[in-house]
Amino acid sequence: MAERSEIPHFPRTASVDAYGKGGFYFGDMSHVGSLLFLPDAVWGWDVTRPEQIDRYALRRVFDNANAIETLIIGTGTDVWIAPRQLREQLRAVGIVLDTMQTGPAVRTYNIMIGERRRVAAALIAVP
């Protein structure tokens, strides 16, 4: 049996139907907390502040780099500029990083999913 963290919340890509109140609504489901939206699944993400974002926090993104061209990071209500090292690590595996607050990140991610782009989103939940 796989550990809880090894089981996706949703087994395919999904757009975000709504966000706020500490969580997200997607695929007729809801989740309290932050999420990673990858091309093949939606995963719980234990990040609550942008300062926690590093290669380890994004390991699923790195593991799926061949399927991702753009990573959108929703930084909650904070504005955050990713450290140069993280940007370089993502660029080295062919991923362009774009950071913005979670609201604009959700909207941008949904547009890109609608355009069938190879996009992933790492979204910090907002109140």
Side-chain angles (χ1 to χ4, degrees), residues 50 53 73-80 99-102 105 122-124 126:
I53 301 170
I73 296 182
T75 59
T77 57
D78 298 327
V79 173
W80 178 72
T99 63
M100 58 194 81
Q101 293 174 314
T102 295
L123 304 174
I124 297 176
V126 296

Side-chain angles (χ1 to χ4, degrees), residues 27-108:
D28 294 326
M29 299 177 64
S30 66
H31 172 81
V32 174
S34 302
L35 288 172
L36 278 175
F37 287 80
L38 299 178
D40 64 344
V42 178
W43 297 87
W45 196 39
D46 292 331
V47 171
T48 58
R49 296 182 331 275
E51 298 78 28
Q52 297 172 297
I53 301 170
D54 59 14
R55 186 183 178 107
Y56 178 77
L58 296 173
R59 67 190 176 283
R60 291 190 195 281
V61 172
F62 283 94
D63 290 346
N64 288 279
N66 291 337
I68 301 167
E69 291 177 349
T70 303
L71 171 63
I72 299 168
I73 296 182
T75 59
T77 57
D78 298 327
V79 173
W80 178 72
I81 297 172
R84 174 180 287 172
Q85 181 181 11
L86 180 60
R87 286 186 180 278
E88 290 173 355
Q89 290 169 337
L90 287 163
R91 190 175 307 119
V93 295
I95 298 175
V96 174
L97 176 61
D98 198 358
T99 63
M100 58 194 81
Q101 293 174 314
T102 295
V106 166
R107 292 185 290 277
T108 302

